[in-house]
Amino acid sequence: MKDPISNQTDEALVISSLQGNKSSLEELLRRHRDFIYNLSLKMTWDREDAADISQEVLIKVITKLDSFRKDSSFRTWLYRITVNHILNERKAADGKRKLTFVQFGETLDNTPDSDLAADEQYRADAPLLIEETKQTCMSGMLMCLDERHRMVFILAELFGIKDAAGSEILATSKENFRMMLSRAKKDLYNFMQDKCGLIDQDNPCRCAKKTRSFIKAGFVDPGNRLFTGKYKTTIEQAAGEKQRQLEDSLYGRYRSLYLQHHFLEGPDFIRSLNAWLASEEVRHLFNFN
């Protein structure tokens, strides 16, 4: 008896898709859409941009599927398409949000400390709002890295992609991939060491103290939370390593904070793509009946 579609490998699904099995193509897209969405969200810090990028990448995967030559894993091939799309075709959109650690630090310093007042009514409990503030702030820190260093950090530190696959995805050498990762960690974690109360209790910045101001400034929307609304799991669990071995004790605590960020469920692009999947172009490409 044949395995159900959900148990088939990516490579088997590619073959089946190219033979005209629409269900295999939908399973292939569904299997990887959340990674594409979460990578895009961490890169852009914008829900709408992440959704647009995800749909654009899925369409690109569909139209290029017959070019997959199996000289690498399908996952690596897919990640390369995703990364190239974000770094090259979406670069202009990313540039308008460029921050520096100095600017971000000044913003935090100028954000008043205050407690969530008991008589203020929000559409979420205080712990959720504080967690939303934490993940919002840490996502802002990521935006202070330039796009290539940010991408390397997200791929390696958050999703556990090693230098062999990472260098292939970014079309660079393993040595350069490691150097970019080292630079990204140094810049990001040095900033956290100087500012973040989660890392050093001597630092005055506290998520609970910034939450009310973040809400007032519009960084956190209690009724439409970006990071603590609907989510599937944490990034650490989604990456497949519940007890990940950290590279060294110096950076372990910093990394673990990011690994506990929520891994969100992406929009149901398959439903919105169904009309396009039924188009003459796609039907001809995959010989759909």
Side-chain angles (χ1 to χ4, degrees), residues 69-270:
R69 300 302 181 201
K70 303 180 186 177
D71 52 349
S72 62
S73 71
F74 175 78
R75 190 179 296 263
T76 299
W77 181 82
L78 170 71
Y79 290 2
R80 190 187 305 126
I81 288 177
T82 305
V83 167
N84 284 338
H85 187 81
I86 293 172
L87 291 182
N88 298 325
E89 299 187 31
R90 303 288 300 200
K91 188 172 182 179
D94 177 78
K96 68 184 180 184
R97 294 187 185 83
K98 187 69 178 80
L99 296 171
T100 68
F101 284 111
V102 171
Q103 291 170 333
F104 195 73
E106 290 174 348
T107 298
L108 288 177
D109 291 341
N110 294 327
T111 300
D113 289 342
S114 60
D115 294 314
L116 287 170
D119 59 346
E120 289 181 299
Q121 297 297 314
Y122 298 110
R123 294 173 61 187
D125 294 334
L128 276 177
L129 294 175
I130 293 170
E131 179 65 24
E132 181 76 10
T133 297
K134 181 179 82 173
Q135 295 196 34
T136 296
C137 186
M138 292 178 68
S139 295
M141 295 177 198
L142 280 180
M143 298 301 292
C144 297
L145 297 169
D146 70 61
E147 57 272 5
R148 285 188 68 83
H149 285 83
R150 190 187 325 146
M151 179 65 78
V152 169
F153 178 87
I154 294 169
L155 290 175
E157 285 288 271
L158 303 194
F159 292 108
I161 294 175
K162 304 301 182 185
D163 58 357
S167 60
E168 185 177 350
I169 290 168
L170 280 163
T172 188
S173 67
K174 290 190 285 187
E175 181 182 12
N176 194 43
F177 185 86
R178 292 193 298 268
M179 287 175 60
M180 287 192 291
L181 176 59
S182 177
R183 173 64 183 272
K185 290 195 293 186
K186 180 180 178 182
D187 290 348
L188 180 60
Y189 294 159
N190 281 350
F191 177 82
M192 293 178 71
Q193 179 64 40
D194 291 339
K195 288 289 180 186
C196 184
L198 295 169
I199 291 297
D200 187 343
Q201 293 186 356
D202 289 336
N203 290 329
C205 193
R206 295 287 186 278
C207 302
K209 293 288 187 180
K210 299 295 186 185
T211 298
R212 191 164 182 262
S213 292
F214 268 45
I215 293 172
K216 282 191 169 185
F219 298 140
V220 168
D221 182 351
N224 188 26
R225 302 185 311 279
L226 177 57
F227 300 109
T228 57
K230 185 178 182 182
Y231 69 96
K232 301 176 72 172
T233 182
T234 63
I235 288 177
E236 181 177 27
Q237 291 169 327
E241 298 180 66
K242 293 184 179 180
Q243 299 297 327
R244 184 189 299 250
Q245 292 294 318
L246 300 178
E247 289 180 358
D248 52 62
S249 58
L250 175 62
Y251 287 148
R253 289 185 303 142
Y254 303 84
R255 185 185 190 187
S256 65
L257 286 174
Y258 276 101
L259 289 178
Q260 296 312 309
H261 279 205
H262 296 164
F263 188 80
L264 308 182
E265 183 173 357
D268 188 359
F269 299 110
I270 311 304

